[in-house]
Amino acid sequence: MNPFSSGTRLSDMIRAIRASKTAAEERAVVRKECAAIRASINENDQDYRHRDLAKLMFIHMLGYPTHFGQMECLKLIASPGFPEKRIGYLGLMLLLDERQEVLMLVTNSLKQDLNHTNQYIVGLALCALGNICSAEMARDLAPEVERLLQFRDPNIRKKAALCAIRIIRKVPDLSENFINPSAALLKEKHHGVLITGVHLCTEICKVSSEALEYFRKKCTEGLVKTLRDIANSPYSPEYDVAGITDPFLHIRLLKLLRVLGQGDAEASDCMNDILAQVASKTESNKNAGNAILYECVQTIMSIEENGGLRVLAINILGKFLSNRDNNIRYVALNMLMRSLTVDSQAVQRHRATILECVKDSDASIQKRALELIYLLVNENNVKPLAKELIEYLEVSEQDFKGDLTAKICSIVEKFAPEKIWYIDQMLKVLSEAGTYVKEDVWHALIVVITNAPDLHGYTVRALYRALHTSFEQETLVRVAIWCIGEYADLLVNNVGMLDLEDPITVTESDAVDVVETAIKHHTSDVTTKAMSLIALLKISSRFPSCSERVKSIIGQNKGSFVLELQQRSLEFSSVIQKHQNIRSALVERMPVLDEATFSGRRAGSLPAAVSTSGKSPLSIPNGVAKAAPAPLVDLLDLGSDDTPAPTSSSNNFLQDLLGVDLTQPSAQPGAMQPSKAGADILMDLLSIGTPAPVQNGSTNGDLLSIQDNNAPIASLDTISAPSSMMDLLDGFGPTPQKSEDKGPAYPSIVAFESSSLKIEFNFTKQSENPQTTDIVANFINLTPNVYTDFLFQAAVPKFLQLHLDPASSNSLPANGNIKQTMRVTNSQQGKKPIVMRMRVGYKINGKDVLEEGQINNFPRGL
């Protein structure tokens, strides 16, 4: 016999495939076998049909195409014998899925087999239906499955319950047909039927609120009794797993109780005692016991409030953190993060254990524990926690230092009780992991230092000491060089000595030595060297006796291949040699930097013309409040602490900078307006040109402009007027105050609503600009779960311009709300309505959720 004929046994084909030494040999064997099977199918060979299908299934598992054998499955299913049907249904589940149109042809055969007198054939049909059931098949065969839930054989009832779960997931509307049969399954004594019945009830409760209320009233007490009987049952070898009776049924019952108790105080009270019993009596030295305890903790944290039970649940999680199994510790950390919103005080008691997890060797546990510690920090515990984290920073692995440094910097900045403590901790971080500190963090440190005049001397001395031991830390070198350039005289003269610091002797030459070392150090990049050159220029003014040495050091970079350093070297040398009369004014001490303005820019919540209203996260006690400097003077860095309000002489600065005449000529009939001329010069400088007025419809298009709340962009219309150009440069004068006169009122709308989230839009218009609409979006959480990493994104057509401000929070509390403002400019106002496509993303218990929708119900006239 030909070894690859249709009569080849399955075992022979498998042996031939495994004997292939190369992939090409395997493909040749499969090709020959598929050819033989096709020939057998064409000849309608019934003797070997089941054997051919078995071989096709093996070939399918190897990844080769087997679609030509799909109809053979249907023929075998239609056969009267059990062996043929078994192979046919197995092939149906492997070779087809619910998306195949061929599946429609098997519905009638399934219906006949579900009514078959042979219970094993009924079981085959239920197994197949539970695996590949489509929505159409679910509607057609649901009555048969409902009937089989009351079948005499427990195995059929079990399979029917699992099949009903599939049907409900495909067609939730059919759930009401299964309420009474599933409730009857909860009284079963057979554990296999009971566990599937509990699972079925859980699924029905998720899709039907009526069913949820029915089970709460009729079945809660029965479920509590069942769980108590199982928890107190004696040893049963049939269901025993590691000394625990049927832990799988335990977990299913706890999941159903969690669904029933969520949001219902009466049902929660009914199950409190049994939950306490399970939590306190289940052994935790086996994995099965830990699984039950974890599910019990989830149930306790989800049902209505019971303070004692929740403390017990969090203590169980605390014990999990001491377990040697990394998986158990990881799920405990996850659960503790979710528990923070419920009972933060109970979680705080396990702070020391969580801190030890930060030092764990497992990277996943390290990161999760660090996130949890970050959430636990408050004003009362920030000092000890920051101390522990900074100490661990010294010995932590390189891969973890980036995350750890970012969290420490955020904690210190957010909860610092005073400026001196903030500066001390940041210097420790810079000394240990300065290369991992982000740019905006050390910028913020400099802002804080400038706002603490009493600590200038202390800070520059501390940085000077740190620099001698940590010259490899680039960020530390930059901050130290900046401070030495600004406050070198305080360093040399020991001004502002505090009781807690030791005296230090620093000469003028020592200060120059440090900066020179920074320039020549092999780790210094262009930015550090450029900052060092500026510091040397300032030191030459502070210490005239060192001018010649400073000039020599600066001159060494005149031949640098880096254009930035070469230019600075030439210009600074010229200042020292030829412009000594203006040098002191040119390099005088930097004015106090406004913390609120910096924080607004850093958060990205303020446009170019920054408003200084609102509390800054850097507003630490002991600060010095300063008025906002004049915008142009601030832009050109020519201001001082007592800068007067901007006057017409501000144009002189711009005239000197650009080398153009911006003086306003007397108005002549037909002459160009002065402000227009100034704007044209600026537009030419910025390569923008003189924009033509934007006509309605000029930006029409089908493409969408997509933004998120972290990246607001300016409309193209912002360059169509001189005032907008001034905003681009932070303004040449006072920002005009917005009129409080509001336009016509518009009704609020429900922009989007699902079972878990509701979004409302409230509208206002400014009367002076009818094309612009201010929208306040109110995001309402309809569930008892906390939504983290909340992000709203929107897209509009090109005739609309959209500006999104950040949301009030990136965490949406349970049954709470957050707000977000946006501004829409409609260039086709009155002709085309506002339309918007939106997307909302968030996490529930660590799982990503994404919701999308089209908003077309905006009020007319916007």
Side-chain angles (χ1 to χ4, degrees):
M1 180 183 293
N2 184 346
F4 301 115
S5 68
S6 62
T8 306
R9 291 180 301 176
L10 175 63
S11 58
D12 294 335
M13 186 195 74
I14 294 173
R15 193 175 298 112
I17 290 175
R18 288 180 175 174
S20 301
K21 295 182 179 180
T22 64
E25 289 183 21
E26 179 185 297
R27 288 195 295 271
V29 172
V30 172
R31 273 200 304 270
K32 290 180 181 179
E33 191 61 49
C34 288
I37 293 172
R38 283 193 185 94
S40 178
I41 291 174
N42 292 334
E43 295 170 3
N44 199 19
D45 187 352
Q46 298 185 9
D47 295 335
Y48 294 108
R49 181 174 285 160
H50 63 286
R51 182 183 291 179
D52 292 341
L53 188 56
K55 289 189 284 188
L56 274 179
M57 284 188 281
F58 185 81
I59 292 171
H60 172 78
M61 288 188 287
L62 292 177
Y64 295 96
T66 55
H67 56 276
F68 58 87
Q70 291 177 349
M71 291 303 297
E72 294 302 294
C73 297
L74 306 187
K75 293 177 182 178
L76 283 174
I77 289 171
S79 301
F82 175 78
E84 289 80 8
K85 284 184 178 291
R86 183 176 62 176
I87 293 293
Y89 277 120
L90 184 58
L92 184 74
M93 290 183 282
L94 277 176
L95 305 182
L96 285 83
D97 58 51
E98 62 181 272
R99 295 168 293 182
Q100 302 282 346
E101 294 183 2
V102 179
L103 205 61
M104 296 292 293
L105 303 175
V106 82
T107 303
N108 190 49
S109 296
L110 278 169
K111 189 167 187 177
Q112 291 176 1
D113 289 343
L114 288 173
N115 292 285
H116 204 280
T117 55
N118 187 333
Q119 68 180 33
Y120 298 105
I121 292 179
V122 174
L124 287 176
L126 285 171
C127 189
L129 186 62
N131 277 280
I132 60 168
C133 174
S134 63
E136 292 77 10
M137 294 173 67
R139 293 187 179 91
D140 293 337
L141 301 176
E144 277 69 25
V145 175
E146 182 184 350
R147 176 181 57 80
L148 291 173
L149 286 172
Q150 302 169 12
F151 198 77
R152 64 183 183 279
D153 186 77
N155 288 322
I156 298 299
R157 294 201 300 275
K158 178 177 67 174
K159 291 183 178 181
L162 293 172
C163 191
I165 292 171
R166 171 89 178 194
I167 290 173
I168 290 170
R169 287 175 178 172
K170 292 295 175 185
V171 188
D173 295 342
L174 295 175
S175 60
E176 59 184 18
N177 299 338
F178 294 95
I179 293 177
N180 291 325
S182 61
L185 294 178
L186 298 179
K187 301 176 183 178
E188 287 279 352
K189 300 298 182 184
H190 189 281
H191 282 207
V193 180
L194 180 57
I195 195 171
T196 53
V198 171
H199 192 183
L200 176 58
C201 292
T202 305
E203 292 296 327
I204 293 174
C205 290
K206 289 179 180 178
V207 300
S208 171
S209 56
E210 294 82 2
L212 178 60
E213 290 300 322
Y214 175 84
F215 286 121
R216 275 176 179 163
K217 294 178 181 178
K218 302 290 185 180
C219 303
T220 303
E221 293 183 0
L223 288 169
V224 170
K225 182 179 181 300
T226 302
L227 181 58
R228 183 178 290 110
D229 292 341
I230 295 172
N232 297 329
S233 64
Y235 172 76
S236 174
E238 184 180 0
Y239 303 114
D240 183 80
V241 177
I244 297 174
T245 302
D246 204 344
F248 302 100
L249 183 55
H250 265 92
I251 290 171
R252 281 293 170 195
L253 286 168
L254 287 168
K255 284 184 176 180
L256 181 53
L257 288 175
R258 179 163 75 244
V259 173
L260 297 179
Q262 203 164 17
D264 189 280
E266 185 178 350
S268 300
D269 290 340
C270 184
M271 61 185 75
N272 280 342
D273 291 341
I274 185 60
L275 291 176
Q277 179 182 338
V278 172
S280 57
K281 291 188 176 181
T282 304
E283 296 181 5
S284 60
N285 55 353
K286 299 289 185 180
N287 207 38
N290 287 328
I292 293 173
L293 286 173
Y294 179 69
E295 202 62 45
C296 185
V297 168
Q298 283 192 300
T299 303
I300 290 172
M301 303 307 292
S302 299
I303 64 175
E304 291 306 294
E305 185 173 357
N306 185 307
L309 265 183
R310 287 182 173 170
V311 171
L312 175 61
I314 292 174
N315 288 341
I316 291 173
L317 295 176
K319 290 181 181 178
F320 279 0
L321 294 179
S322 304
N323 198 297
R324 284 183 290 183
D325 190 322
N326 287 346
N327 293 323
I328 293 176
R329 281 188 290 167
Y330 187 80
V331 297
L333 289 169
N334 273 338
M335 194 63 204
L336 283 170
M337 290 186 71
R338 290 156 53 190
S339 305
L340 269 177
T341 57
V342 178
D343 192 344
S344 60
Q345 286 302 114
V347 180
Q348 288 279 3
R349 298 189 190 103
H350 302 280
R351 194 171 61 227
T353 311
I354 298 168
L355 198 57
E356 287 302 312
C357 290
V358 176
K359 306 172 185 178
D360 195 87
S361 58
D362 187 277
S364 299
I365 292 176
Q366 279 184 333
K367 291 183 179 181
R368 186 61 68 192
L370 182 60
E371 292 173 5
L372 181 54
I373 282 290
Y374 179 74
L375 296 174
L376 285 174
V377 175
N378 55 38
E379 292 82 357
N380 300 322
N381 60 25
V382 62
K383 287 189 175 182
L385 282 179
K387 180 176 180 292
E388 290 279 352
L389 291 175
I390 292 173
E391 287 177 356
Y392 177 62
L393 184 62
E394 300 176 12
V395 296
S396 62
E397 297 180 1
Q398 296 297 322
D399 294 341
F400 187 52
K401 276 193 175 182
D403 293 335
L404 184 57
T405 302
K407 292 297 184 185
I408 293 174
C409 292
S410 181
I411 288 170
V412 170
E413 181 179 323
K414 189 175 182 181
F415 297 104
E418 53 190 0
K419 286 186 184 293
I420 188 170
W421 184 85
Y422 170 79
I423 293 171
D424 285 341
Q425 305 312 307
M426 288 303 300
L427 291 189
K428 291 177 183 177
V429 174
L430 291 176
S431 300
E432 295 298 333
T435 55
Y436 297 95
V437 175
K438 294 182 179 179
E439 191 172 84
D440 61 328
V441 175
W442 66 267
H443 288 180
L445 173 60
I446 288 177
V447 171
V448 172
I449 292 172
T450 62
N451 279 272
D454 295 340
L455 300 176
H456 286 171
Y458 169 79
T459 303
V460 72
R461 285 188 291 274
L463 283 165
Y464 180 82
R465 292 189 187 96
L467 206 55
H468 283 81
T469 58
S470 306
F471 236 112
E472 305 295 328
Q473 305 296 341
E474 192 75 33
T475 305
L476 174 68
V477 174
R478 291 179 184 177
V479 176
I481 292 301
W482 188 91
C483 287
I484 290 173
E486 292 295 319
Y487 314 121
D489 52 334
L490 305 183
L491 172 66
V492 171
N493 299 324
N494 279 330
V495 176
M497 286 288 294
L498 302 181
D499 296 337
L500 54 89
E501 59 177 322
D502 298 327
I504 183 174
T505 302
V506 181
T507 64
E508 297 176 356
S509 180
D510 292 337
V512 177
D513 288 342
V514 170
V515 183
E516 183 181 11
T517 304
I519 293 179
K520 297 180 178 179
H521 201 272
H522 66 279
T523 62
S524 297
D525 60 6
V526 176
T527 302
T528 305
K529 291 179 180 179
M531 293 179 67
S532 300
L533 290 176
I534 296 177
L536 285 172
L537 179 64
K538 294 196 172 189
I539 289 175
S540 70
S541 176
R542 310 277 193 274
F543 308 138
S545 61
C546 296
S547 291
E548 286 302 317
R549 185 183 171 194
V550 168
K551 175 185 170 184
S552 173
I553 298 171
I554 292 177
Q556 294 173 9
N557 288 277
K558 289 182 179 181
S560 173
F561 290 110
V562 181
L563 183 61
E564 175 72 19
L565 299 181
Q566 183 188 100
Q567 182 176 351
R568 286 180 187 244
S569 177
L570 290 168
E571 292 174 352
F572 294 171
S573 297
S574 176
V575 169
I576 295 174
Q577 286 181 353
K578 303 176 183 179
H579 303 285
Q580 294 185 5
N581 56 330
I582 65 168
R583 182 174 59 177
S584 59
L586 188 64
V587 296
E588 66 182 8
R589 191 163 293 163
M590 285 285 289
V592 175
L593 304 174
D594 186 71
E595 294 183 49
T597 302
F598 174 79
S599 300
R601 291 179 185 275
R602 186 180 176 192
S605 60
L606 297 178
V610 179
S611 169
T612 59
S613 61
K615 184 178 179 180
S616 163
L618 289 174
S619 296
I620 304 170
N622 308 330
V624 178
K626 296 298 295 181
L632 180 62
V633 178
D634 182 41
L635 171 70
L636 302 179
D637 202 12
L638 297 172
S640 62
D641 288 353
D642 54 351
T643 303
T647 64
S648 59
S649 63
S650 297
N651 276 339
N652 295 335
F653 293 123
L654 190 61
Q655 179 178 341
D656 293 339
L657 177 69
L658 303 179
V660 296
D661 186 8
L662 294 180
T663 55
Q664 298 184 3
S666 57
Q668 298 293 333
M672 184 179 293
Q673 294 299 320
S675 61
K676 178 67 176 177
D680 287 344
I681 293 171
L682 285 179
M683 292 177 184
D684 183 62
L685 172 69
L686 298 172
S687 299
I688 295 175
T690 305
V694 178
Q695 301 295 330
N696 285 342
S698 62
T699 57
N700 276 355
D702 295 331
L703 296 176
L704 295 180
S705 175
I706 300 178
Q707 295 178 298
D708 63 37
N709 57 1
N710 290 324
I713 64 170
S715 166
L716 290 176
D717 292 340
T718 56
I719 63 171
S720 64
S723 61
S724 300
M725 181 54 58
M726 294 181 183
D727 287 343
L728 184 64
L729 295 174
D730 279 354
F732 299 138
T735 303
Q737 297 295 323
K738 291 186 177 180
S739 172
E740 296 298 326
D741 182 23
K742 300 290 183 181
Y746 291 90
S748 301
I749 64 168
V750 176
F752 174 82
E753 186 168 10
S754 65
S755 59
S756 56
L757 181 67
K758 183 179 180 181
I759 305 176
E760 297 176 347
F761 280 2
N762 299 302
F763 308 96
T764 56
K765 267 189 178 294
Q766 302 295 336
S767 58
E768 67 273 10
N769 190 358
Q771 290 187 341
T772 300
T773 303
D774 294 323
I775 303 174
V776 178
N778 187 24
F779 304 97
I780 303 172
N781 186 347
L782 303 179
T783 71
N785 299 313
V786 177
Y787 298 168
T788 57
D789 296 345
F790 189 87
L791 179 66
F792 173 77
Q793 296 175 302
V796 294
K798 283 295 184 179
F799 70 86
L800 299 173
Q801 294 294 334
L802 176 64
H803 175 96
L804 282 174
D805 288 335
S808 57
S809 173
N810 65 350
S811 177
L812 183 54
N815 297 314
N817 70 306
I818 60 175
K819 296 182 182 296
Q820 183 172 358
T821 60
M822 64 187 85
R823 185 176 302 108
V824 178
T825 301
N826 186 356
S827 63
Q828 299 287 312
Q829 198 257 345
K831 298 179 181 179
K832 291 186 179 182
I834 295 177
V835 291
M836 184 182 294
R837 180 121 186 121
M838 69 94 197
R839 176 189 296 167
V840 178
Y842 51 88
K843 289 185 179 180
I844 303 178
N845 300 331
K847 295 182 179 179
D848 291 319
V849 178
L850 190 65
E851 301 196 54
E852 298 180 320
Q854 179 85 18
I855 307 174
N856 298 315
N857 58 335
F858 284 91
R860 302 292 296 178
L862 291 181

